[in-house]
Amino acid sequence: MEWSSPAIVLSLSPYGEGDQRAVVLTEAHGAWHGLARGGASRKGAAIWQEGNLIAARWVARLPEQLGTLTGELVHPAAALAMNDTLALAVLRAACAVAAGALPEREAHPAAFLGLARLFAGIAIPDAALPALVRFEIELLRELGYGLDLTGCAVTGTTDDLSFVSPRTGRAVSRAAAGVWESRLLALPSFLITDEPANFPACRDGLALTAHFLARDAFGARHAPLPSARVALYDLVTRRINGDTNAG
């Protein structure tokens, strides 16, 4: 049994001396576990980093076995993010969310392509954070938990959509929110318009997607939101509050 495919490294854990147990994401095969022999060595460590896009090959005698993964580096997203605290936090959060939410060996091509786009621009200033929020919106849709941000759940209008119902995942206009506004999740305008995404808007986006990821994608697995994702939200919040040394 074997396959070869472009793959994104999602997670790594030590396995014996010098090896790594890896989870990679491919377009056709989904999230896949395998043993990266020498993945923790000096040579292997350049390839086997979370976020990297690699040309992967998986081989096993039987399909149910862990199998062996080999790879050649295609795009060094981890190295590109290494010197930017925020970019690195985005990369780690995205990998952790994908690794935890996607079922093993089940193809989710939109998730792979969305994550590849995110990591292709990981070093572009001010691009990675809003791109992560958009990726999480798409991931929820891919998993069957899509949000409806096309019109107000109460009035049907498409004007001034400002909130999302935490129960239904449907947008709500400011006028329709009324006395329920404090119970609704903020809908950042960059998700539905061409308006630029500033830090407060990105924090609102992170809070929005975190609610549905925790309740639906991770809740279905009785698992908490990954610590790397929680840490990203905390980092953004600290920077909004003026902590220039955050991270």
Side-chain angles (χ1 to χ4, degrees), residues 27-233:
E27 183 174 2
H29 305 286
W32 204 280
H33 292 242
L35 180 62
R37 297 193 183 278
S41 67
R42 182 186 296 269
K43 179 180 178 181
I47 299 170
W48 296 101
Q49 294 286 334
E50 293 175 358
N52 280 354
L53 176 66
I54 64 173
R57 181 170 180 258
W58 177 83
V59 179
R61 188 171 61 86
L62 298 172
E64 63 269 19
Q65 292 179 323
L66 177 64
T68 300
L69 276 167
T70 55
E72 295 181 7
L73 185 60
V74 175
H75 178 68
L80 293 173
M82 194 62 65
N83 293 323
D84 185 326
T85 301
L86 181 60
L88 186 59
V90 167
L91 182 145
R92 288 173 172 167
C95 284
V97 166
L102 290 168
E104 187 180 355
R105 298 192 179 191
E106 183 178 299
H108 284 283
F112 171 80
L113 294 173
L115 197 59
R117 285 193 296 270
L118 170 59
F119 290 160
I122 196 68
I124 300 175
D126 304 321
L129 192 55
L132 172 66
V133 177
R134 294 188 182 98
F135 165 72
E136 291 181 339
I137 293 282
E138 291 301 319
L139 180 63
L140 285 164
R141 182 176 292 113
E142 178 87 346
L143 293 172
Y145 308 118
L147 308 184
D148 183 356
L149 308 180
T150 58
C152 177
V154 179
T155 66
T157 182
T158 58
D159 296 328
D160 199 21
L161 299 178
S162 304
F163 306 99
V164 175
S165 165
R167 184 177 64 85
T168 66
R170 297 186 63 187
V172 179
S173 69
R174 187 173 300 279
V179 297
W180 303 104
E181 180 175 325
S182 62
R183 300 188 182 185
L184 301 175
L185 298 165
L187 173 59
S189 58
F190 77 87
L191 290 177
I192 53 175
T193 71
D194 294 330
E195 185 174 321
N198 59 24
F199 250 45
C202 286
R203 182 178 61 177
D204 288 344
L206 290 173
L208 173 65
T209 52
H211 171 81
F212 293 101
L213 285 169
R215 189 192 71 180
D216 299 325
F218 287 89
R221 294 173 168 233
H222 306 288
L225 202 63
S227 58
R229 178 56 170 77
V230 175
L232 173 64
Y233 182 85

